[in-house]
Amino acid sequence: MRVLYFGWVRQRIGLAKEEIDPPADVADVRALIAWLKTRGPAYEAGLGNLNQVRVAVNQELTTLDAKIVIGDEVALFPPMTGG
Amino acid sequence: MIRVQEEDFNIGAEIQSMTEGKAEVGALACFVGLVRDMAGDDRIESMTLEHYPGMTERQLAKLEADARERWALNDVLIVHRYGKLLPGDRIVLVATTSSHRQAALESCEFLIDWLKTKAPFWKKEETSIGARWVEAKDSDDDQAARWEVEPSRVIGGRGRQSE
């Protein structure tokens, strides 16, 4: 599974993207974030406040409850500030 | 049409290409977003825009399709820049053409409101006291939420025309 980070989520985690292999019981984005946060304080800093984390799965905006499967592209980022 | 690019754009040339030889166009509305030189009391030295290549183009194309569904438009152009910009630099151009002004003006406002909350861009300001990420404003969400209605209920939209 490919995970991409943008904005201050990227900056705090210190990575723009990574290939990960989460446990089989990680079935949605919320569970994925909970698992990522066990990987170290940088992930806690980037993903600790779920109110400030937005989600896209396969480049479609969605919610923390979106189901994910092997092969998905998951992006985690702060609220968008375009325009 | 959607363009996501690092380089600047020429407003006059873009507008001309949307109207020249198109006598059915009666109105063009245009919005240009620019980098300001101040953020509160702090001087902005530069602004860096990051985006999500691939998703950005998809989201902007969806916004264009949504606008065309709601209003009878001849053409839609969204040009959004990324990378490092300086105060006074152009960030984004939204232009719409229609037979009549109301559809052009309303759809232009709709596109810029939704672009602010649905297009995957993130701004970082480099100021005299250090760099910081621009925070999303609740007022931008409120502006975008004004458009959360059925397409057929928007005046000048396709749904209305087919009645």
Side-chain angles (χ1 to χ4, degrees):
Chain A
M1 183 177 293
R2 170 174 288 190
V3 186
L4 290 81
Y5 310 108
F6 294 96
W8 52 254
V9 172
R10 171 185 58 72
Q11 189 168 32
R12 290 177 189 176
I13 291 174
L15 278 176
K17 62 180 162 187
E18 59 182 327
E19 294 290 336
I20 55 163
D21 189 13
D25 62 346
V26 171
D28 61 23
V29 177
R30 195 182 298 275
L32 175 68
I33 291 175
W35 177 73
L36 286 169
K37 286 197 290 188
T38 67
R39 304 174 86 207
Y43 290 92
E44 178 63 39
L47 302 168
N49 183 358
L50 287 184
N51 288 332
Q52 290 297 309
V53 176
R54 300 290 180 268
V55 180
V57 175
N58 299 325
Q59 305 191 354
E60 297 281 348
L61 281 180
T62 183
T63 66
L64 292 168
D65 297 316
K67 300 289 178 215
I68 48 174
V69 295
I70 298 299
D72 280 345
E73 178 175 295
V74 179
L76 304 172
F77 43 80
M80 295 163 276
T81 53
Chain B
M1 184 197 278
I2 301 305
R3 296 211 315 267
V4 182
Q5 61 189 45
E6 199 159 7
E7 59 270 26
D8 194 11
F9 50 83
N10 181 318
I11 302 169
E14 301 291 356
I15 287 176
Q16 189 169 354
S17 74
M18 290 178 78
T19 53
E20 200 165 60
K22 295 170 185 168
E24 72 278 13
V25 171
L28 178 141
C30 169
F31 172 87
V32 179
L34 305 156
V35 181
R36 275 193 312 271
D37 64 347
M38 297 292 286
D41 295 330
D42 304 320
R43 181 161 294 283
I44 295 175
E45 289 164 357
S46 61
M47 172 180 277
T48 303
L49 275 112
E50 174 179 339
H51 79 114
Y52 183 173
M55 182 176 165
T56 307
E57 290 81 357
R58 287 169 65 134
Q59 284 294 100
L60 295 182
K62 270 200 255 179
L63 291 183
E64 173 178 349
D66 205 347
R68 287 179 179 276
E69 186 66 30
R70 289 168 181 241
W71 290 274
L73 301 174
N74 292 102
D75 212 353
V76 173
L77 176 66
I78 304 172
V79 184
H80 205 305
R81 296 179 68 192
Y82 62 89
K84 187 170 181 175
L85 303 175
L86 301 175
D89 281 355
R90 289 173 277 271
I91 305 171
V92 61
L93 168 69
V94 175
T96 55
T97 55
S98 181
S99 306
H100 301 289
R101 74 176 184 281
Q102 188 179 17
L105 286 167
E106 286 184 1
S107 60
C108 186
E109 191 176 14
F110 161 85
L111 284 166
I112 196 68
D113 282 349
W114 274 32
L115 208 153
K116 282 199 166 279
T117 58
K118 296 190 185 227
F121 286 92
W122 298 273
K123 290 184 183 129
K124 190 181 197 178
E125 291 170 343
E126 291 88 27
T127 76
S128 44
I129 57 162
R132 63 187 175 210
W133 293 93
V134 174
E135 284 185 35
K137 295 195 205 78
D138 288 342
S139 58
D140 287 339
D141 287 335
D142 295 343
Q143 287 288 108
R146 293 182 305 144
W147 301 101
E148 298 276 359
V149 293
E150 292 297 309
S152 61
R153 294 186 55 198
V154 176
I155 294 167
R158 292 252 167 83
R160 173 102 171 197
Q161 282 190 326
S162 62
E163 281 170 12

